[in-house]
Amino acid sequence: MTEIIDQHQEGKRDVTFRVFRFNPQVDSKPYFDDYTISAERGITVLRSLNYIKEHVDATLSFRAFCQAGICGSCGMRVNGISKLACTSQVWDELDKCREPGIIRVEPLRSLPMIKDLIVDMDPLVDKMTRYSNWIDSTMPLADMGKKEFLISEEEFQQYDKATDCILCASCVSECSILRANKEYVSPAVLLKSYRMNVDSRDGIHDLRLAELVKDHGVWDCTHCYRCQESCVKSIPIMEAIHAIREDALESRGPRDTSGAKHAEAFMEDIEKKGKLVEATLPIRTNGVVWTLRNLLPMAMKMIVKRRTPPPPPLVKSAKGIKIFRAMFREMTEHVKQDHLKSHKK
Amino acid sequence: MKPFDIVIVGGGGAGLYAAMEAMKTNPALNIAVLSKVYPNRSHTSAAQGGANAALANKAKDDSVEMHIFDTIKGSDYLADQDAVDVLCSEAPKIIRELENIGTPWSRMEDNTIAQRPFGGAGRPRCCYCADKTGHTILQTLYEQCLRKGVLFFNEYFALNLSVHGSRSRGLIAMNMKTGKVEAFPAKTVIFATGGYAKMYWNRSSNAAGNTGDGQAIAYRAGIPMKDMEFVQFHPTGLRKSGLLVTEGARGEGGYLINKDGERFMARYAKEKMELGPRDLVSRSIETEILEGRGFDSPAGKYIHLDLRHLGADLIKSRLPQIREMSLNFEGVDPIEEPIPIRPTAHYSMGGIDTDNFGRTVMDGVYAAGECACVSVHGANRLGGNSLLDILVFGRIAGHTAAEEAGKFEPGSISEEELRESVEEIRTRMQPSGHYERYGALREELGQTLALNVGIFRESSLLHKGIQDIAELKERFKKVRVFDSSDVFNTNLQQVLELKNMLDLAETVAVGALAREESRGSHTRIDFPVRDDEKWHKHTLATLVDGKAIPGEKPVTMGRYELQERTY
Amino acid sequence: MKRYAYYMSCINESMTKEVDRSIDFWQKDLGLEFVKLHEGTCCGGSNLDYVSPKHFALVNARNIALAEKMGLDLVVSCNTCLMTIRTAKKKLDETPALKKEVNDILKKEGLEYRGTSEVRHLLWVLVDDVGLDTIKAKVTVPLKNYRIAPFYGCHILRPSTVLGRDNPLAPSSLDQLIEALGGQTIPFEHKNRCCGFHTLLVAEEESLNVAAEALEEAINSKADFIVTPCPLCHTVLDGYQSKALKQAHIDSSIPVFHISEMVGLALGYTAKQLGIKRHIVC
Ligand SMILES: Cc1cc2nc3c(=O)[nH]c(=O)nc-3n(C[C@H](O)[C@H](O)[C@H](O)COP(=O)(O)OP(=O)(O)OC[C@H]3O[C@@H](n4cnc5c(N)ncnc54)[C@H](O)[C@@H]3O)c2cc1C
Ligand code: SF4
Ligand code: SF4
Ligand code: FES
């Protein structure tokens, strides 16, 4: 009998939750409240917050619904990282505290605050609308519900992972560019846009892409991979972003936008010299006027410090560039063949 | 606010399909969808298994007729056969329609929609998208609603129906972001608020918000509830949260073990052991616990689901989700330790009484989805039929409301009425003296339901349950809302949800006491067999002067005669 | 002597020449010999990957094959080059068809990509191969009394499926190096954040905001300087610093060093020798 009792003496630890508080009706600025509770092994951050709300402070406000990691309601920052409270184990978080025994809980970033841990999701929904995050079906109305599209496993694989997204906004909260500009499309919306664009049932690929290449769109992403790293469903978001860019270059050409020109410049330089010609990159990306206006003052400082990149003629080609070029061009032929093949299909 | 033609309460699968269909039926209509959570958060997203439709992609000899029969048999002959006809014959069309607008169904080798076997179905007809079927259906519907510009009122909490005489004039709801109580005058209202199985609280697999709000609102407005006693239990819920451990764990060879270390299923199903049907396994686990062979813990009694003998490799490759759930919600790694589990309330067959077009007895009020009872599930729902139900009847309700909205006068809701709703809320915020904690009440409600109105039912237990519920209702009057702010008052919302659960719990218990037989999910120890003579009928519960008045309704029969339900 | 093939990043040959120059000063002191890959070509930044995935694979298979030919691991001192080449390596190792296609072309130059050489960052070589104790023993001018903000940057941490050396949420290698050199690391929220480099020319305002946030934290926490393992981060945080801070209305400045310079200083080389005078902020 004692053995059985021992078995159920679940370990307990005292844990302090340092929770971000803000009620716009009474507080002029946010503050933190500390709640110390005894937490047993296996308890999640969400259950702890529920406990605090029920037993300690009923005014503490947060969202939660499924409690099973599928509805996306409970996105918040735990110990500084955006994640789902309902799938985060308290004991695991204890290992990540900056101050021992104190778990910090804060709202997601880059979305307007409403109260305590609750932020406004409307900006995200608005962006989903702006970027047509839906399938505009090519099935004629008369055939709807009567016929199936035939979808290959290969196509399904392209968007399978992307449809895991539960719109929890963790990636949105972690995004570097969104922090800098709230107009930015956002990683989750890029992911969804990608998912729609590779779906053969959809008929507005070009329209969606045209919107994506505009300002605040796909070219503004700074490849920091924070979104991907924090995705609660481990979705490779950057692959989606890269795929949209690849598609943009192919469908709209390399001279379409400054982002496209910038990307394409790498290809040109590598083929020519095997090295990047940094000095002319600004001009090739944004033109002469922009470069003069934006970079001249800095260029002056750079010149003084001899930090300016060398002008194109002085960029030394990589050793053995001739043979490299031949190989590079051979690959270009391969790529051309690939395209022909895929078009035939 | 400008009167609406249709106000839809609920943004799950049923609500969203209703909205889409209503817009299609009559694009000129002024339609609003209210939801207490963003629509994509609705509980439809939790459905993993799939949705049934006799597409015959997998089993070429499958047919709508076979689907109909399986459903009727599964319902223990309590489903209305004309309604089941509608459900199953619309199924292929609706699954294809979803496919046409973007649902990423998994595929067969010939690139058609994939299908797999599911409990109680004679053919593999469950269409799925990996293990995220509900999630992807809900996403598709939400996307399409955004495309069509459906007017959403997200994070609005429905409070009351405004009723004048025999018809509704619209809905009263609270904007969570501002705390303001707002009027939604409307010609028609469709309830699509999902199930009520969360009243079993920690003994339920449902989302925290599956509190039966729509049913409770309709009930208080005098609309009858039907077959409320039928609640489906799933054998393997996690001990602490009630969350579901899917059938896969047993399918791969997991053992159920009691505290004496026995594989006790040998006592109940010698051959099938752990793979017996859901209700049998649930009852067996419950018996072990009741007879003292369960484990005990502060979080309640339980038994072990042991996967360790399967080995780390198999667990990692074939059951990764189950391992993740167990780690995330119990802190237990099934490679090293058994998972603590017990049966969990999973689905509510009962709900708002409607006809096959989604109409309730009240003019201009409709219902669809898990909150409605048409009835297509009768005494027991088949896996994969619920998603189908919400889609088919969501669409039908949307269509009917759109067609009929013109018949009704535009609604209007007086300031007076709004003020009453606000008053009701305000009084909860400032009672003095002794007060009750809503958290405790909620938990006690779940406990008494699980114990007395749970898997095994019996007259004295049910009386105890009814008495407990009455006492909880009394105590609820003293519940205090501590958060006095207007902005996103989740404290207030949870208290109002508790009220809804308490109102409905009474109908569940009263229905269970009345039904003196065992049928489908309803097991009476004191009446262990199905009694078709006395009980082949639906039960109704109608609120009259604060009391649940029982009623009944015949079951619509058709091609299939009553038979014993054996598998 | 530990020998490595050393990848010459484009930026280190143009804007941040002091990186390679600093390494040249101290490599022998730490028992390292870096063999420069003069035949190496631009890795494609984070762009070639999607502009043309196949060229991307070819170019970087070649970069690695050059090191393999010498039987050496490839060392990189730029985060983005590191991430890019490692990404290509992962794809090549996981996709036999691609590896074959690439090798068929590489044959022309007598090269073959086999997947035998590791691709590693200079920082990892210092911490893991040279070792903190050896470094400590070699320090002649400890960075005592300096409060240093460690700025890891993105592409030495993320995607962790490709990098994998440090915990991307709580990296420690740079902190350890700083401490081995006698410096004091400060808690720095932005340590694993982004510098904004890759969109400087496409979304300048956003990029500078990103940089300004990191600079502001370092300044507010009274750091003496920021140190980074990446010349791209260095370029933004140093070269664009005044512009970024001006945009953010912050009237202050803070020096920024590449790890190669910080090591040089602690091993007794002068700022002048190392080329630190060429920094915009110093
Ligand atoms: C774990 C689990 C697995 C399941 N798996 C399957 C399966 O494999 N196959 C299957 O067929 N079925 C399955 N089911 C059942 C099925 O998922 C549900 O029955 C179905 O999704 C219910 O859909 P609904 O549209 O009726 O309601 P829900 O999706 O629950 O939506 C209810 C909506 O009403 C809103 N609402 C509620 N109250 C209010 C209020 N007061 N004010 C405003 N809005 C309100 C909510 O915000 C929500 O938008 C499963 C259920 C669970 C719990
Ligand atoms: S990689 Fe792009 S989208 Fe992702 S977080 Fe960084 S800037 Fe944002
Ligand atoms: S992409 Fe991942 S982190 Fe971002 S919203 Fe979707 S599930 Fe959440
Ligand atoms: S509560 Fe649904 S994801 Fe956490």
Side-chain angles (χ1 to χ4, degrees):
Chain A
M1 194 61 202
T2 48
E3 192 196 299
I4 290 168
I5 292 171
D6 280 347
Q7 204 178 323
H8 300 294
Q9 294 267 316
E10 308 204 275
K12 288 211 170 202
R13 293 201 213 167
D14 278 343
V15 185
T16 300
F17 290 85
R18 181 161 293 167
V19 187
F20 181 98
R21 303 299 310 271
F22 177 67
N23 178 352
Q25 271 188 309
V26 289
D27 303 323
S28 56
K29 63 173 199 286
Y31 60 96
F32 285 86
D33 265 334
D34 279 5
Y35 304 100
T36 303
I37 62 170
S38 156
E40 79 225 29
R41 192 182 71 141
I43 198 168
T44 59
V45 172
L46 180 62
R47 285 178 78 80
S48 308
L49 293 176
N50 277 332
Y51 179 89
I52 293 167
K53 187 170 180 68
E54 278 172 36
H55 295 95
V56 187
D57 183 352
T59 68
L60 178 62
S61 304
F62 49 90
R63 287 196 190 98
F65 199 64
C66 72
Q67 316 184 56
I70 183 63
C71 76
S73 298
C74 66
M76 57 185 75
R77 280 184 302 142
V78 182
N79 281 331
I81 309 297
S82 307
K83 51 172 73 170
L84 301 177
C86 71
T87 58
S88 301
Q89 285 283 316
V90 170
W91 282 33
D92 290 349
E93 288 302 329
L94 282 174
D95 296 337
K96 300 174 192 158
C97 298
R98 189 160 299 156
E99 290 167 73
I102 300 179
I103 296 177
R104 279 171 80 94
V105 185
E106 297 158 278
L108 296 179
R109 282 191 206 255
S110 291
L111 290 164
M113 268 195 278
I114 293 182
K115 181 186 182 188
D116 295 351
L117 303 171
I118 300 171
V119 296
D120 193 352
M121 289 287 167
D122 284 350
L124 195 61
V125 178
D126 292 345
K127 284 175 189 165
M128 285 165 55
T129 309
R130 167 164 174 201
Y131 293 94
S132 311
N133 279 185
W134 49 70
I135 295 294
D136 199 323
S137 183
T138 51
M139 183 66 76
L141 217 53
D143 290 337
M144 280 270 180
K146 296 189 188 118
K147 284 192 188 150
E148 279 179 42
F149 286 101
L150 295 180
I151 306 284
S152 66
E153 177 66 17
E154 208 182 349
E155 178 180 333
F156 176 77
Q157 286 302 336
Q158 281 191 58
Y159 49 70
D160 181 27
K161 254 332 251 178
T163 58
D164 284 356
C165 171
I166 56 172
L167 294 171
C168 69
S170 291
C171 59
V172 172
S173 163
E174 293 291 325
C175 175
S176 302
I177 290 295
L178 195 67
R179 267 177 88 158
N181 189 334
K182 302 289 173 279
E183 295 289 306
Y184 176 57
V185 46
S186 310
V189 176
L190 284 173
L191 179 73
K192 251 185 149 9
S193 305
Y194 157 80
R195 173 253 173 282
M196 302 302 163
N197 264 358
V198 293
D199 195 316
S200 64
R201 294 170 288 191
D202 173 63
I204 53 167
H205 163 278
D206 295 355
L207 203 99
R208 197 179 292 112
L209 194 59
E211 198 61 32
L212 285 164
V213 298
K214 287 187 186 157
D215 263 6
H216 312 306
V218 67
W219 292 110
D220 280 15
C221 162
T222 186
H223 319 190
C224 72
Y225 284 86
R226 289 188 69 87
C227 51
Q228 173 163 326
E229 207 65 46
S230 61
C231 174
V232 303
K233 293 283 164 190
S234 308
I235 304 169
I237 305 175
M238 276 307 288
E239 281 177 22
I241 297 175
H242 278 172
I244 297 175
R245 290 180 170 188
E246 190 180 348
D247 182 13
L249 286 171
E250 201 183 308
S251 317
R252 305 177 56 90
R255 317 241 18 103
D256 182 36
T257 56
S258 58
K261 287 181 215 161
H262 182 68
E264 197 65 22
F266 280 75
M267 187 82 177
E268 287 165 19
D269 288 359
I270 295 173
E271 179 166 359
K272 230 181 266 162
K273 301 219 169 201
K275 291 275 169 183
L276 199 59
V277 185
E278 273 142 350
T280 56
L281 210 47
I283 295 181
R284 285 181 291 162
T285 304
N286 290 305
V288 179
V289 178
W290 183 95
T291 306
L292 287 178
R293 184 158 35 86
N294 277 268
L295 297 181
L296 198 58
M298 215 162 45
M300 296 310 287
K301 276 190 214 164
M302 298 249 191
I303 289 167
V304 172
K305 298 275 189 173
R306 290 188 285 133
R307 277 187 98 67
T308 40
L314 294 188
V315 175
K316 268 201 294 197
S317 294
K319 222 170 126 189
I321 185 71
K322 282 228 173 74
I323 178 134
F324 173 78
R325 238 179 250 153
M327 296 194 300
F328 198 87
R329 286 177 190 155
E330 188 174 339
M331 191 52 109
T332 309
E333 284 309 310
H334 285 213
V335 173
K336 272 189 201 147
Q337 290 300 320
D338 291 349
H339 278 234
L340 280 177
K341 261 185 243 156
S342 76
H343 279 292
K344 261 188 212 136
K345 249 204 275 174
Chain B
M1 196 174 288
K2 187 164 146 234
F4 290 98
D5 294 299
I6 306 177
V7 165
I8 298 169
V9 193
L16 295 184
Y17 228 118
M20 269 177 38
E21 186 66 20
M23 278 185 107
K24 196 160 124 192
T25 307
N26 184 353
L29 295 181
N30 185 9
I31 302 169
V33 177
L34 260 80
S35 178
K36 66 179 174 183
V37 295
Y38 279 86
N40 54 304
R41 315 264 185 243
S42 305
H43 203 55
T44 294
S45 63
Q48 300 185 326
N52 299 332
L55 295 176
N57 285 354
K58 176 108 183 177
K60 300 293 172 208
D61 64 344
D62 195 13
S63 67
V64 168
E65 201 51 43
M66 288 168 95
H67 187 186
I68 291 173
F69 176 71
D70 288 342
T71 303
I72 292 169
K73 181 178 166 196
S75 80
D76 223 346
Y77 296 88
L78 197 68
D80 292 311
Q81 298 196 4
D82 55 346
V84 177
D85 272 354
V86 175
L87 178 82
C88 301
S89 40
E90 285 293 303
K93 191 170 157 221
I94 208 135
I95 295 299
R96 289 194 182 110
E97 195 169 294
L98 276 175
E99 193 269 354
N100 294 166
I101 56 176
T103 302
W105 297 108
S106 292
R107 297 286 162 164
M108 310 256 297
E109 258 159 34
D110 66 358
N111 297 348
T112 56
I113 297 170
Q115 299 188 284
R116 65 180 163 207
F118 227 50
R123 293 288 181 277
R125 71 170 72 93
C126 185
C127 310
Y128 62 96
C129 171
D131 58 356
K132 52 181 173 183
T133 314
H135 163 72
T136 55
I137 289 178
L138 188 63
Q139 292 283 335
T140 306
L141 292 174
Y142 187 44
E143 289 153 14
Q144 292 299 316
C145 286
L146 289 179
R147 175 165 92 93
K148 299 209 163 147
V150 169
L151 183 59
F152 282 108
F153 291 85
N154 292 334
E155 309 202 304
Y156 272 70
F157 185 81
L159 297 168
N160 292 310
L161 207 53
S162 165
V163 183
H164 287 250
S166 71
R167 65 161 296 242
S168 123
R169 291 192 174 181
L171 189 87
I172 297 172
M174 181 170 60
N175 180 348
M176 291 302 294
K177 273 186 201 158
T178 61
K180 239 185 105 194
V181 173
E182 297 178 20
F184 289 83
K187 291 180 181 170
T188 63
V189 174
I190 304 176
F191 284 105
T193 54
Y196 55 79
K198 194 62 188 176
M199 64 171 66
Y200 288 77
W201 204 244
N202 282 338
R203 299 285 311 268
S204 167
S205 67
N206 284 197
N210 277 16
T211 47
D213 299 351
Q215 296 91 318
I217 292 170
Y219 180 59
R220 287 195 292 264
I223 298 172
M225 300 293 111
K226 183 160 79 194
D227 291 340
M228 293 296 281
E229 62 272 26
F230 293 105
V231 177
Q232 188 174 67
F233 282 81
H234 192 287
T236 53
L238 291 175
R239 161 195 50 177
K240 286 187 181 146
S241 52
L243 294 174
L244 211 64
V245 178
T246 54
E247 242 111 62
R250 281 172 294 135
E252 292 292 340
Y255 297 154
L256 293 171
I257 308 278
N258 64 18
K259 85 164 195 246
D260 302 329
E262 290 175 296
R263 261 182 88 186
F264 57 83
M265 281 309 295
R267 256 199 293 284
Y268 309 92
K270 239 195 175 77
E271 272 179 23
K272 288 214 147 183
M273 294 293 284
E274 281 83 359
L275 296 176
R278 261 187 209 182
D279 50 345
L280 175 67
V281 180
S282 292
R283 283 196 292 268
S284 310
I285 297 174
E286 198 69 5
T287 306
E288 291 296 302
I289 292 176
L290 287 175
E291 294 180 357
R293 290 189 295 276
F295 299 91
D296 211 347
S297 78
K301 296 190 168 66
Y302 62 95
I303 61 112
H304 276 156
L305 172 59
D306 198 344
L307 305 180
R308 287 174 300 179
H309 59 284
L310 301 177
D313 287 348
L314 189 137
I315 293 176
K316 279 186 194 155
S317 64
R318 306 276 276 277
L319 303 168
Q321 256 107 11
I322 288 171
R323 177 161 181 246
E324 204 179 299
M325 292 268 297
S326 174
L327 279 166
N328 284 343
F329 304 112
E330 288 283 346
V332 163
D333 185 347
I335 293 177
E336 278 147 26
E337 285 174 77
I339 312 172
I341 60 114
R342 59 182 170 179
T344 187
H346 186 52
Y347 181 82
S348 39
M349 269 76 74
I352 301 172
D353 176 30
T354 72
D355 66 13
N356 293 351
F357 296 91
R359 301 185 193 103
T360 70
V361 298
M362 188 178 284
D363 281 349
V365 179
Y366 307 77
E370 195 174 333
C371 82
C373 179
V374 183
S375 140
V376 290
H377 307 303
N380 177 50
R381 166 192 74 111
L382 287 191
N385 263 0
S386 171
L387 284 178
L388 184 61
D389 168 18
I390 68 174
L391 300 169
V392 169
F393 288 96
R395 180 163 76 184
I396 290 174
H399 185 77
T400 317
E403 296 256 282
E404 296 181 354
K407 289 202 321 210
F408 304 112
E409 294 284 297
S412 73
I413 295 171
S414 65
E415 282 298 318
E416 172 89 36
E417 215 176 333
L418 272 187
R419 228 171 297 127
E420 272 169 35
S421 285
V422 176
E423 263 322 294
E424 201 191 319
I425 290 171
R426 284 285 149 203
T427 52
R428 293 201 194 286
M429 294 196 170
Q430 50 218 198
S432 47
H434 173 76
Y435 62 84
E436 292 281 351
R437 287 191 169 277
Y438 73 100
L441 262 56
R442 208 160 59 175
E443 215 152 314
E444 284 176 44
L445 174 65
Q447 270 161 22
T448 186
L449 284 173
L451 212 62
N452 302 312
V453 199
I455 293 176
F456 289 115
R457 299 166 173 185
E458 189 261 333
S459 167
S460 65
L461 290 177
L462 288 164
H463 277 112
K464 171 79 170 73
I466 291 170
Q467 193 190 336
D468 283 354
I469 294 166
E471 278 168 22
L472 287 169
K473 281 177 107 164
E474 237 354 84
R475 283 166 63 196
F476 177 80
K477 292 182 181 153
K478 294 217 181 68
V479 160
R480 179 158 161 203
V481 176
F482 284 87
D483 191 342
S484 58
S485 74
D486 296 324
V487 181
F488 230 100
N489 193 334
T490 47
N491 184 194
L492 172 63
Q493 181 180 337
Q494 289 174 358
V495 166
L496 295 172
E497 287 171 341
L498 174 59
K499 178 166 183 278
N500 292 336
M501 290 194 287
L502 284 166
D503 285 348
L504 290 185
E506 189 181 0
T507 67
V508 175
V510 168
L513 180 65
R515 188 174 283 277
E516 297 187 327
E517 65 159 351
S518 291
R519 183 188 297 270
S521 69
H522 172 73
T523 308
R524 287 283 299 257
I525 302 172
D526 40 0
F527 299 95
V529 288
R530 196 173 88 188
D531 184 349
D532 287 329
E533 208 151 300
K534 278 209 198 116
W535 286 103
H536 187 239
K537 60 190 175 195
H538 301 293
T539 55
L540 295 178
T542 313
L543 189 71
V544 181
D545 298 330
K547 273 194 74 80
I549 302 301
E552 56 187 54
K553 204 175 167 178
V555 176
T556 309
M557 295 298 278
R559 294 185 291 284
Y560 298 99
E561 294 299 316
L562 283 163
Q563 283 174 36
E564 204 189 332
R565 176 176 165 244
T566 51
Y567 285 102
Chain C
M1 228 14 111
K2 294 192 174 81
R3 293 184 83 223
Y4 302 87
Y6 182 76
Y7 177 76
M8 297 163 68
S9 299
C10 299
I11 190 146
N12 288 343
E13 289 186 75
S14 58
M15 292 163 77
T16 50
K17 290 204 179 86
E18 58 281 3
V19 171
D20 287 358
R21 176 168 160 167
S22 298
I23 295 171
D24 283 344
F25 274 106
W26 53 252
Q27 50 175 295
K28 290 233 161 47
D29 303 348
L30 294 180
L32 298 169
E33 184 186 343
F34 292 126
V35 184
K36 286 191 179 144
L37 277 189
H38 290 285
E39 303 91 336
T41 61
C42 172
C43 66
S46 45
N47 292 299
L48 194 60
D49 190 358
Y50 57 83
V51 177
S52 176
K54 283 203 168 166
H55 286 97
F56 169 75
L58 174 73
V59 164
N60 289 306
R62 182 174 169 278
N63 283 331
I64 303 170
L66 289 168
E68 287 182 355
K69 200 170 152 189
M70 293 187 274
L72 300 175
D73 281 353
L74 184 60
V75 171
V76 184
S77 58
C78 164
N79 284 5
T80 297
C81 297
L82 175 79
M83 185 274 283
T84 305
I85 303 175
R86 284 179 72 98
T87 301
K89 179 170 167 55
K90 188 160 187 275
K91 281 190 188 155
L92 287 159
D93 292 344
E94 286 171 359
T95 333
L98 179 65
K99 186 165 149 185
K100 182 170 180 307
E101 184 174 356
V102 161
N103 274 333
D104 283 347
I105 299 182
L106 286 180
K107 257 196 294 214
K108 289 229 162 62
E109 203 182 348
L111 289 172
E112 185 191 356
Y113 172 82
R114 276 165 299 158
T116 49
S117 284
E118 286 298 317
V119 181
R120 318 199 20 229
H121 196 283
L122 175 68
L123 174 63
W124 304 349
V125 167
L126 289 170
V127 175
D128 299 335
D129 293 8
V130 177
L132 298 169
D133 290 337
T134 312
I135 294 177
K136 259 183 223 159
K138 298 280 178 186
V139 169
T140 55
V141 187
L143 304 175
K144 251 194 335 232
N145 307 327
Y146 286 119
R147 293 167 51 81
I148 305 172
F151 187 87
Y152 288 79
C154 297
H155 295 158
I156 198 171
L157 303 173
R158 292 181 296 269
S160 56
T161 45
V162 169
L163 282 317
R165 162 62 177 77
D166 268 299
N167 174 351
L169 303 176
S172 61
S173 56
L174 180 54
D175 294 67
Q176 288 168 348
L177 178 66
I178 292 170
E179 278 154 24
L181 298 174
Q184 182 198 343
T185 59
I186 60 158
F188 191 41
E189 287 264 0
H190 282 79
K191 61 161 60 173
N192 60 357
R193 290 204 159 265
C194 178
C195 70
F197 179 88
H198 289 286
T199 30
L200 264 180
L201 295 179
V202 180
E204 193 194 42
E205 193 180 329
E206 284 83 350
S207 301
L208 294 180
N209 275 345
V210 170
E213 256 199 77
L215 290 164
E216 185 179 5
E217 197 206 345
I219 290 168
N220 288 346
S221 9
K222 305 248 167 343
D224 293 307
F225 56 85
I226 298 173
V227 69
T228 171
C230 178
L232 306 181
C233 298
H234 187 271
T235 300
V236 182
L237 297 178
D238 175 60
Y240 284 72
Q241 184 179 117
S242 63
K243 201 170 184 185
L245 289 179
K246 196 164 156 202
Q247 185 175 301
H249 307 290
I250 297 166
D251 185 19
S252 186
S253 73
I254 182 165
V256 185
F257 298 118
H258 186 267
I259 52 167
S260 58
E261 299 162 339
M262 179 177 65
V263 171
L265 288 172
L267 295 187
Y269 298 94
T270 65
K272 187 153 182 241
Q273 281 174 309
L274 298 169
I276 290 171
K277 289 272 147 64
R278 296 176 67 237
H279 290 186
I280 301 293
V281 182
C282 55

